[in-house]
Amino acid sequence: MIQVLVWWLLMEILGWLALPTAMRIFRWLPDRGYSFSKALGLLLASYFLWLGASTGLVNNDLGGSLLAILLVAGISAWFYFRCRGTLIPNLGGFLKDKWKLVATVEVLFALALVAWAVLRAYAPYKIEPTGGEKFMEIAFQNAILRSQHFPPLDPWLSGFAISYYYYGYVMLATLTRISTAISGVAFDLYDALLFALTLIGAFGVVYNLVAYSRKARSKVGDPPLRSGPALAAGVLGGVLVAVMGNLEGVLESLHARGILSERFWNWIDIPGLVQAPVTGSWYTGDIFLWWWKASRVLADKNFLGQNMIVQPIDEFPFFSFLLGDNHPHVLALPFVLLAIGMAFNLLVRQLESSRREVEQEVDSEHKSGSHWWNPVAFALDNDWLLFMFSALILGALGFLNTWDLPIYLGLVVLAYGLGLVMQRGHLDWEAIVRSVVLGIGLGIASIFLYIFFYLSFSSQAAGVLPYVFPPTRLVQYLVMFGTLVFLVICFLTVYLHQQGEAGQRVWRSFLFWWLRILGICVGIFLAIMLIIALAFLVLNPAPDSSLMATLQQVLGGMSLKEAYLASIQARLSDPWLLLMLTALLALVLASVGAVLKGRSAIAEPGEEPAHALPAFSSDLFALLLIFTGLALTLIVEFIYLRDSFGVRMNTVFKFYYQAWVMLGIAGAYGTWWLLAHLKRPAGRIIFAAGAIVFIGLGLVYPLMAYPSRAGGFSGPANLDGSSSIAQANPDDWAAIEWLDANAEQGLPAGDVPVILEAPSVPPLGGSYTYEGRMSAFTGFPTMLGWAVHESQWRGSYDEQAKREPDIATIYTSSDGQLTLDLLNKYGVDYVILGQPEMNYIQHICNQASAGCTLSTALRKLNQVLEPVFKQGNLTIFKVP
């Protein structure tokens, strides 16, 4: 466990080095960015290394990593000594005033890191080719460690660079190199680190919301505010976002116990749950993998009521950490929370500083005229530092998990615009224009700062498609979000009711918004159906066309007319989710409107109405998070992003994931608000009891799944994610170690050898197979690894299709010269021959037209290539 201590120490160093920078850019938040400093330090160090290695100014090695960290330290030192006492508080005074906050963050971080490292140490089946994307992730990690410059080498398509959002793997590789951890240990520890950073990030957002709300509501002469409520709310935020699970865990236990009828389980229709064994205990008989079903609680149907072949993914953070996939949606989580913190920071900035005060604060920085084409001057009063760091954080999301960039760019712009409206006391065109200009400026800057990534990136996304199949069932949606929806409904209902007590007709406003939003949704659906009808009238596809063949696979023999009517019927017969979501969105809009309209009633005598709104800033930001989170889950009922899967699987996955984060933060804030502002003790007791019940139900899943994933803590503990592969395949692992130690010898500095191993291609699988193991665990690129994954990353199968016959020829042809010519064509240095390769050769030779045998293929390889390593049935050949 010494590496746990090393990684903890590294993150402490990065956090403290970045703290003055965090204090400058998050200066309007009560914690001055302390909760986000560790994530910010990791982001900045990785960015400087990536930028330097992308431009060739530095190498991607230990020296480059240390130089990047020194640059972070230098920038923070410049900020601190230049701005101490003005824009940045004295560090000693800050620690004295905020010692409880600092202690809470540090204890949460350390406990979370250790707790998850323990889980990873005991977890069986660590890095396996199936049950996740870990083979791909370890391949990216090792390939980046092997790449002297960026973009990094693609480990599964030699001669090409990675065409994927790989920034998270740069961060992982950087910590791997600095800590001197072996790759498998670093892989396990990074999962623990992400969990810890996510926990304190969610804590930080909720803490700042509560602390600022209490500060804004306090009056001169009031006794000093206690930090306990804000700290407790922050801890709850961390639990709701990072620790709590959905309600499938409860259902799993009830089903295993034999409680409730088969009719109920068929009605709730969670995939795989009806078939699970009834054991008579609270645990299912499938002790290890039962927790997988929690990520598949939605059951999409076709028009015949049959389950779709590809179902939506509905992961939530705890499941992702439990699974142990260091995948982009998980890698981005700490920085998603960083962006949410930045959004609130921008909102508060508008309320805390008048334009003149802001200009005075940055008067030593370069100013330009406040023209609309200059977003820094026009929207942020020449605060270039705030603008650039906001763009840097948002741009990182595009590089970490590209789907997140538009979501959080929109959130930041809406928060800024909301701050303008609160500052002015009303919505006007200037506020709209300033928000749009800032959004465009941040969007351009966030892409420009990471332009070298986009120059080498090709996406599988190919537009937007309508979702016309039966909608998500409300009961399955509530299995996913039930706890958070309960907290949100209580908060919105009571909040709007209290606004109504000030004399406003809030419920009439709610009804107005509900009907309007519902009408918009119905209009969107009818417009989609009309466009589809017109498209078929214009295209008039032939009955035997490929389009009609694809449609028939989906429609199951139904005619287009029958499917068209079935789509409308499905929406009419199951409107419950639509009604609930639109009602909740209407509650949000009615609440925001009531606050803005009621500002005169809360203003002190002689005070401008807008000056009374800071007390409501945290409330309105929580409402914004609720609105955005719910809207993300509503969007997927009408459209989805077209990708290589052709269904809404990925769109539901990505949008629900961000909705969970936003609703978790808002739910924690709403819980504090209700306990602090419900006027009747009975109301507080009833809500507290309901919250305890629902949060407790949500905690059933992690309490059961944590020991289950760790195998009951009964096996030997080790933090090497690659250990299971090494133990199950000793010959392969010996070859991997030999390649690590010897393959680069004799090559020019910076060159990486190319290997050839059996590819994972259809019909052998294409992905999620053991093929690709040598390149994955060494980082040396192979001619072709997981072919289908490559098509997902590149949006095309062209290059894979070119290489497949050449690889088959190399392994099976009896022509030695042709074999050497092809190996030289692709620059192959080493050829692997193990059991996967023998299976591959046998498969090719079994084809009727192949005309080869396994024995002749093996004889040819031994004749034309030089064996340099042999153990068991595995041989490594060097290409002469």
Side-chain angles (χ1 to χ4, degrees):
M1 296 290 281
I2 188 66
Q3 277 294 339
V4 179
L5 179 62
V6 171
W7 279 54
W8 171 82
L9 183 60
L10 274 176
M11 290 309 302
E12 289 297 317
I13 292 172
L14 284 173
W16 284 100
L17 290 180
L19 183 57
T21 303
M23 287 181 165
R24 169 61 181 90
I25 61 178
F26 291 102
R27 63 175 300 264
W28 292 277
L29 297 184
D31 79 339
R32 303 303 294 261
Y34 186 85
S35 305
F36 310 120
S37 59
K38 292 179 175 61
L40 181 65
L42 179 58
L43 187 153
L44 292 177
S46 303
Y47 178 76
F48 292 138
L49 173 65
W50 169 80
L51 186 63
S54 296
T55 56
L57 296 176
V58 299
N59 290 334
N60 174 37
D61 54 19
L62 180 60
S65 301
L66 295 177
L67 182 62
I69 294 174
L70 287 176
L71 190 54
V72 174
I75 291 173
S76 282
W78 182 80
F79 279 144
Y80 185 70
F81 291 111
R82 181 175 181 269
C83 306
R84 181 175 54 179
T86 55
L87 304 184
I88 296 177
N90 182 278
L91 193 55
F94 172 82
L95 293 176
K96 182 178 180 180
D97 292 340
K98 301 287 187 180
W99 70 269
K100 290 183 180 179
L101 165 70
V102 172
T104 304
V105 170
E106 294 303 334
V107 168
L108 285 176
F109 178 74
L111 287 178
L113 182 66
V114 171
W116 217 259
V118 169
L119 172 71
R120 295 305 307 164
Y122 280 98
Y125 310 109
K126 294 174 181 289
I127 301 177
E128 299 293 324
T130 57
E133 308 282 350
K134 300 180 191 67
F135 249 42
M136 176 204 106
E137 295 149 8
I138 194 73
F140 279 3
Q141 173 188 343
N142 288 322
I144 289 172
L145 286 168
R146 297 289 184 187
S147 301
Q148 189 172 19
H149 298 291
F150 295 139
L153 304 169
D154 188 330
W156 284 340
L157 199 68
S158 61
F160 285 77
I162 291 175
S163 179
Y164 199 63
Y165 18 92
Y166 62 86
Y167 195 23
Y169 302 106
V170 173
M171 297 179 180
L172 169 54
T174 300
L175 291 176
T176 304
R177 182 180 290 115
I178 297 173
S179 68
T180 69
I182 63 174
S183 181
V185 170
F187 189 90
D188 265 3
L189 277 178
Y190 202 60
D191 184 49
L193 176 62
L194 291 169
F195 175 72
L197 290 176
T198 300
L199 186 70
I200 63 171
F203 165 89
V205 174
V206 177
Y207 170 87
N208 283 303
L209 286 172
V210 174
Y212 186 78
S213 178
R214 299 179 74 233
K215 171 189 170 185
R217 284 182 164 90
S218 65
K219 298 180 180 179
V220 177
D222 287 349
L225 293 172
R226 295 181 297 108
S227 59
L231 294 174
V235 172
L236 178 61
V239 169
L240 294 185
V241 171
V243 178
M244 193 181 70
N246 62 23
L247 301 182
E248 198 278 338
V250 176
L251 297 175
E252 193 82 41
S253 288
L254 294 176
H255 185 274
R257 189 74 176 178
I259 298 174
L260 301 176
S261 66
E262 185 177 350
R263 181 178 179 183
F264 170 83
W265 299 114
N266 287 324
W267 169 74
I268 205 166
D269 193 27
I270 292 178
L273 186 56
V274 175
Q275 296 78 20
V278 175
T279 62
S281 69
W282 293 111
Y283 255 106
T284 176
D286 185 6
I287 295 300
F288 181 64
L289 281 176
W290 66 264
W291 46 266
W292 177 271
K293 289 192 285 291
S295 68
R296 304 295 192 277
V297 300
L298 302 188
D300 277 358
K301 306 285 186 180
N302 61 20
F303 296 130
L304 298 175
Q306 302 163 336
N307 281 351
M308 295 280 200
I309 297 175
V310 180
Q311 291 290 349
I313 299 173
D314 49 77
E315 283 191 30
F316 46 92
F318 187 87
F319 172 88
S320 302
F321 296 126
L322 197 70
L323 182 61
D325 272 7
N326 290 326
H327 212 58
H329 63 285
V330 187
L331 302 175
L333 265 177
F335 310 99
V336 157
L337 293 159
L338 194 63
I340 295 174
M342 177 60 72
F344 185 56
N345 182 60
L346 285 172
L347 185 152
V348 173
R349 176 191 180 276
Q350 300 308 118
L351 305 176
E352 290 290 301
S353 306
S354 68
R355 292 182 61 84
R356 180 175 300 177
E357 288 171 339
V358 175
E359 289 172 1
Q360 289 174 351
E361 289 170 355
V362 295
D363 60 358
S364 61
E365 300 173 15
H366 178 68
K367 298 186 184 68
S368 57
S370 57
H371 300 291
W372 64 267
W373 44 264
N374 183 346
V376 186
F378 190 65
L380 294 177
D381 308 293
N382 280 309
D383 194 340
W384 280 91
L385 290 173
L386 181 61
F387 177 83
M388 292 306 295
F389 276 100
S390 298
L392 191 71
I393 291 169
L394 289 170
L397 293 181
F399 196 177
L400 282 158
N401 189 35
T402 303
W403 301 62
D404 294 347
L405 174 56
I407 293 174
Y408 289 97
L409 176 60
L411 181 69
V412 165
V413 171
L414 288 173
Y416 170 82
L418 185 58
L420 280 180
V421 171
M422 295 172 68
Q423 182 189 61
R424 297 162 182 271
H426 61 276
L427 176 65
D428 55 23
W429 277 109
E430 184 177 356
I432 295 174
V433 172
R434 286 184 183 278
S435 301
V436 171
V437 168
L438 178 64
I440 294 173
L442 285 175
I444 294 173
S446 64
I447 293 175
F448 177 77
L449 288 171
Y450 297 89
I451 190 63
F452 296 112
F453 158 66
Y454 290 101
L455 291 176
S456 62
F457 176 63
S458 60
S459 174
Q460 61 171 311
V464 175
L465 289 176
Y467 183 74
V468 296
F469 291 98
T472 303
R473 294 177 60 213
L474 176 60
V475 63
Q476 293 179 345
Y477 183 91
L478 292 178
V479 171
M480 178 65 187
F481 291 110
T483 298
L484 302 179
V485 167
F486 169 79
L487 299 176
V488 163
I489 288 176
C490 292
F491 173 55
L492 292 177
T493 305
V494 175
Y495 194 87
L496 186 61
H497 176 71
Q498 290 199 4
Q499 298 302 316
E501 290 181 348
Q504 298 187 63
R505 298 177 177 179
V506 293
W507 295 106
R508 179 178 295 180
S509 174
F510 159 72
L511 186 60
F512 166 81
W513 281 114
W514 190 13
L515 293 176
R516 177 167 289 190
I517 298 171
L518 197 57
I520 291 173
C521 291
V522 172
I524 290 173
F525 179 72
L526 293 177
I528 288 173
M529 300 303 290
L530 179 60
I531 291 171
I532 292 174
L534 292 175
F536 272 95
L537 286 174
V538 172
L539 294 175
N540 192 24
D544 58 348
S545 65
S546 60
L547 174 60
M548 291 302 297
T550 302
L551 285 174
Q552 284 305 315
Q553 290 179 356
V554 177
L555 300 180
M558 298 179 73
S559 68
L560 290 176
K561 180 180 178 180
E562 290 172 333
Y564 199 85
L565 295 175
S567 179
I568 297 174
Q569 176 63 29
R571 300 288 169 142
L572 291 174
S573 62
D574 191 4
W576 311 117
L577 179 62
L578 176 65
L579 292 174
M580 187 193 76
L581 290 179
T582 52
L584 292 177
L585 292 172
L587 281 172
V588 172
L589 293 177
S591 298
V592 172
V595 170
L596 296 177
K597 289 179 182 178
R599 63 188 182 277
S600 298
I602 61 174
E604 298 290 337
E607 183 184 25
E608 289 293 326
H611 293 164
L613 282 172
F616 293 85
S617 57
S618 297
D619 302 352
L620 293 180
F621 188 76
L623 293 173
L624 175 60
L625 289 177
I626 293 171
F627 185 89
T628 308
L630 293 174
L632 288 174
T633 66
L634 180 60
I635 288 171
V636 298
E637 299 301 312
F638 300 99
I639 59 173
Y640 63 94
L641 302 179
R642 181 185 177 189
D643 54 24
S644 60
F645 296 101
V647 293
R648 68 169 188 162
M649 177 192 78
N650 246 351
T651 307
V652 170
F653 175 19
K654 303 292 187 178
F655 284 17
Y656 271 32
Y657 209 73
Q658 304 312 319
W660 182 282
V661 173
M662 295 182 194
L663 295 178
I665 291 169
Y669 178 80
T671 300
W672 166 81
W673 189 94
L674 287 165
L675 294 176
H677 293 87
L678 275 169
K679 297 177 181 179
R680 298 180 180 179
R684 288 196 294 272
I685 293 173
I686 293 173
F687 167 73
I692 290 171
V693 169
F694 273 92
I695 294 173
L697 293 176
L699 290 176
V700 168
Y701 180 84
L703 290 175
M704 292 178 59
Y706 184 90
S708 175
R709 181 67 179 96
F713 304 98
S714 58
N718 78 83
L719 265 174
D720 183 0
S722 58
S723 58
S724 57
I725 293 292
Q727 293 166 6
N729 307 276
D731 295 344
D732 283 359
W733 197 254
I736 289 169
E737 292 180 327
W738 185 91
L739 287 169
D740 274 332
N742 300 282
E744 292 178 296
Q745 293 181 7
L747 294 178
D751 282 8
V752 176
V754 175
I755 64 176
L756 172 62
E757 59 184 320
S760 180
V761 297
L764 299 178
S767 289
Y768 303 107
T769 66
Y770 186 58
E771 283 75 14
R773 82 282 192 199
M774 293 291 168
S775 47
F777 286 97
T778 63
F780 297 140
T782 186
M783 276 183 61
L784 185 60
W786 285 11
V788 172
H789 265 60
E790 284 289 348
S791 66
Q792 293 172 12
W793 302 334
R794 301 178 185 279
S796 166
Y797 204 81
D798 296 343
E799 184 63 29
Q800 300 92 301
K802 294 177 184 176
R803 296 188 178 205
E804 285 178 17
D806 287 345
I807 295 172
T809 299
I810 291 171
Y811 271 117
T812 63
S813 171
S814 59
D815 188 333
Q817 188 57 50
L818 176 59
T819 298
L820 290 175
D821 290 343
L822 288 173
L823 289 171
N824 289 324
K825 173 185 175 181
Y826 292 100
V828 175
D829 297 287
Y830 295 93
V831 175
I832 312 298
L833 180 64
Q835 192 59 53
E837 286 71 34
M838 294 182 189
N839 295 339
Y840 172 76
I841 293 170
Q842 189 66 61
H843 171 78
I844 298 296
C845 291
N846 285 343
Q847 297 178 6
S849 60
C852 67
T853 63
L854 176 60
S855 59
T856 57
L858 298 182
R859 189 181 310 117
K860 183 276 308 278
L861 291 175
N862 279 283
Q863 289 173 349
V864 300
L865 303 177
E866 176 189 356
V868 291
F869 173 86
K870 184 173 180 61
Q871 177 172 312
N873 66 346
L874 189 140
T875 305
I876 299 177
F877 296 97
K878 184 175 178 59
V879 179

